[in-house]
Amino acid sequence: MASEQLELSAERRAYLAARRRSARFVVLMRYVVLLAFIGLWELAAQLSWIDPFITSSPSRVAATIGRLMQGGQLFLHIGTTLFETVAGFLLGTLLGVVIAALLWWSPTLCRILDPYLVVLNALPKIALGPILIVWIGSGMGSIIVMAVLISLVVTIVTVLTGFLDITGEKQLLMKTLGATKLQIFTLVVLPAAVPTMMAALKISVGMSWVGVIVGEYLVSKSGLGYLIVYGGQVFKLDLVMASIVVLCLLAAGMYYAVAALEKKLTR
């Protein structure tokens, strides 16, 4: 019996070691792919396989970012876009979860509003941009509202689906034990829907960035979206590419922050 336990323990250790090697290999290959892409991009620009004026190059992008940092402009634009995105993300997520909870609470209301949610989800939110500018004004408020609108409906639909997918057996058991509907929601439905809610957060991160950049395209005097539009208008494509690179880094950082929160909650 003891030898079997030792044998199983050895197999377990071998299995865990293989998984660690696999994880390290995946991380290594991610960096290899990224470095290969950057190197090929730079090589193609240096050898004139591509026009560096149109496609820029990693060295030119780095030089542009350096100039923006020295002038103090980069952090101003990053701060503006980041604040708008985080505000839109938090508001959209909070409102989405609350509305999804209300729709779960009232099945009749859910059936009534279901077609409207489908229409709102299919509606291109950018079409509301001019209306928001007139209603709210050409400022940060309209950009945040645009981010909320783009992420809100997706969050509602995703979270509501998670709430409705919770098995009815546990809810029936809670009712048998005399639990109220609020207790059923807080003790059964909400904890069981955490994975779905975290998936909705990951989707909402990307949608919030889309909403903010679209809003800055329409009306903004600062932010990464403004830099992209300005760089395109004056044919400073190095500025456009530099803004896109910074935008990718910020979006990835925010996504991995949500992923870290998911891992912590899952534990």
Side-chain angles (χ1 to χ4, degrees), residues 29-218:
M29 292 308 299
R30 288 175 179 173
Y31 286 110
V32 168
V33 171
L34 177 61
L35 293 176
F37 172 76
I38 294 174
L40 182 61
W41 183 13
E42 181 68 29
L43 181 64
Q46 294 295 335
L47 297 179
S48 299
W49 295 347
I50 57 177
D51 188 351
F53 176 76
I54 297 176
T55 61
S56 189
S57 67
S59 58
R60 296 176 65 150
V61 168
T64 302
I65 293 176
R67 287 195 299 270
L68 290 174
M69 291 179 63
Q70 289 178 355
Q73 302 174 25
L74 181 61
F75 297 108
L76 170 64
H77 294 294
I78 287 177
T80 301
T81 300
L82 196 57
F83 174 78
E84 293 165 347
T85 304
V86 172
F89 170 72
L90 293 177
L91 288 174
T93 300
L94 179 61
L95 289 174
V97 172
V98 170
I99 294 174
L102 292 176
L103 294 177
W104 174 87
W105 193 277
S106 175
T108 302
L109 181 62
C110 181
R111 291 196 299 269
I112 292 173
L113 297 182
D114 181 68
Y116 297 100
L117 290 175
V118 173
V119 172
L120 289 175
N121 192 33
L123 175 68
K125 310 304 184 296
I126 190 174
L128 302 175
I131 299 176
L132 295 178
I133 294 172
V134 174
W135 287 355
I136 303 175
S138 57
M140 187 178 291
S142 60
I143 297 174
I144 294 176
V145 171
M146 175 66 74
V148 171
L149 289 177
I150 288 182
S151 63
L152 178 61
V153 180
V154 175
T155 303
I156 293 173
V157 173
T158 305
V159 175
L160 179 60
T161 301
F163 287 164
L164 296 177
D165 285 344
I166 305 304
T167 176
E169 295 179 358
K170 294 180 180 180
Q171 298 184 43
L172 181 60
L173 175 61
M174 294 287 288
K175 290 180 181 179
T176 304
L177 296 174
T180 64
K181 196 165 187 177
L182 179 60
Q183 290 174 325
I184 294 174
F185 178 75
T186 56
L187 298 178
V188 176
V189 176
L190 193 60
V194 166
T196 304
M197 293 172 63
M198 297 310 302
L201 286 181
K202 291 180 179 180
I203 297 174
S204 183
V205 166
M207 302 304 291
S208 298
W209 281 105
V210 171
V212 167
I213 298 302
V214 167
E216 290 183 347
Y217 280 174
L218 296 175

